[in-house]
Amino acid sequence: MNSIGIVGAGAWGTALAATARRAGRAVTLWARESELVADINATRRNSLYLPDVELLCGIRATTDLAEVAACDVVLLVTPAQHLGATARALAPLWRPGVPAVICAKGIEQGSHAMMTEVVERALPTAAIAVLSGPTFAIEVARGLPTAVTLACADVELGQRLVDAIGTPTFRPYLSDDLAGAEIGGAVKNVLAIACGIVEGRGLGDNARAALITRGMAELTRLAVAKGGRPETLMGLAGLGDLILTASSAQSRNYSLGFALGEGRALADILAERRAVTEGVWTAGAVVELAGSLGIEMPICAAVDAVINQGAELDGVIRALLSRPFRSEGI
Ligand SMILES: NC(=O)C1=CN([C@@H]2O[C@H](COP(=O)(O)OP(=O)(O)OC[C@H]3O[C@@H](n4cnc5c(N)ncnc54)[C@H](O)[C@@H]3O)[C@@H](O)[C@H]2O)C=CC1
Ligand SMILES: O=C(CO)COP(=O)(O)O
């Protein structure tokens, strides 16, 4: 596994390029934007999505998917709602058995498909893995210490992936629980919006701790229903990522929630950002998926009501606080 292809040159794809290069791999980074490709190759910076980091030599940007598909391993790092189309574009170029490592965090709108299901459909001969966990791109790009979950059903292949991308400061922990790893990453974005709302509304640290904890219960219920294991959700891809994104203004999901909590309109907040805020697009899909499985996810439903149904924030908060008392078990 000497060469790593990365599909998607946003902040996370670029940070993964930086860390894979630090691990000694040859890196090819695919971007949709031809001006961005020229910029990265000329200046070794991604001025659109991660401007503050200079990249090592040995990272080549391209607009040609074939160059990425020719690599030993391919990391899929587009926003979740675009992963299906991107994987379908890769399909004619795919060589059977090549690992496809899903690094996007979300659930597909409409189909409610997990990212593994989306990629399985588009690339049926790929060996699928999921990379998830508490990872702000800028910190990874700078080489600050970070630990992630790398989930792969074939543990021997998973170990080779860990060895290919791991470094002393980018530490993958191996798992065989893909469902747990990907549901943790997808749902924590919705919960991070809720935590931001609480902070922006001035509801206090107690309320945020309660949301994180009861959010964990929601996230775990959904993961178990989809075949995941509770202990995965207690690890980096669940609790770890939730702690990170539910308490840091660096998080795009948390900061969007904060602005909503202050009373700003969603459309205005989104209009000011280039970066993707995945929880906005996943909230509805999570709630519909949970509904189809008969699972209660009241915090996610509250976020969905605010984001997608124009519900008034204080009414939604009052409704959450008026729910019947219940036992704490999941
Ligand atoms: N930024 C971070 O710290 C982390 C991000 N992630 C996940 O990685 C995924 C990508 O996020 P970022 O790199 O942060 O995105 P970003 O917000 O930095 O950049 C947006 C990316 O989306 C691409 N894009 C926009 N429209 C597209 C389309 N129609 N088809 C294909 N690509 C399109 C852009 O070219 C760009 O690469 C998301 O699922 C995110 O949750 C995961 C861990 C950390
Ligand atoms: O997934 C992330 C950290 O693990 C990034 O979170 P945000 O998209 O909320 O910034």
Side-chain angles (χ1 to χ4, degrees), residues 107 112 114 179-180 182-184 186-188 190 215-229 233 282-283 285-297 300 330:
I107 297 176
H112 313 149
M114 309 305 304
E182 65 176 331
I183 287 174
V187 178
K188 67 84 192 175
V190 183
M216 273 298 291
E218 288 189 17
L219 185 154
T220 305
R221 279 198 290 272
L222 182 63
V224 168
K226 291 291 283 180
R229 294 195 300 272
L233 284 309
T282 283
V286 170
V287 172
E288 286 161 18
L289 175 62
S292 72
L293 295 166
I295 290 168
E296 243 195 325
M297 299 187 76
C300 289
I330 287 168

Side-chain angles (χ1 to χ4, degrees), residues 105 133-136 188-189 241 244-245 250-253:
K105 295 174 176 173
T135 55
F136 286 137
K188 67 84 192 175
N189 284 330
D241 209 355
L244 183 81
T245 31
Q250 273 193 71
S251 160
R252 299 165 297 188
N253 289 283

Side-chain angles (χ1 to χ4, degrees), residues 8-13 32-33 49 77-80 82 86 103-105 135-137 189 252 274-276 278:
W12 190 217
R32 301 157 67 229
E33 303 92 340
Y49 297 109
V77 206
T78 68
H82 301 306
T86 309
C103 307
K105 295 174 176 173
T135 55
F136 286 137
N189 284 330
R252 299 165 297 188
R274 182 192 295 275
V276 65
E278 289 284 26

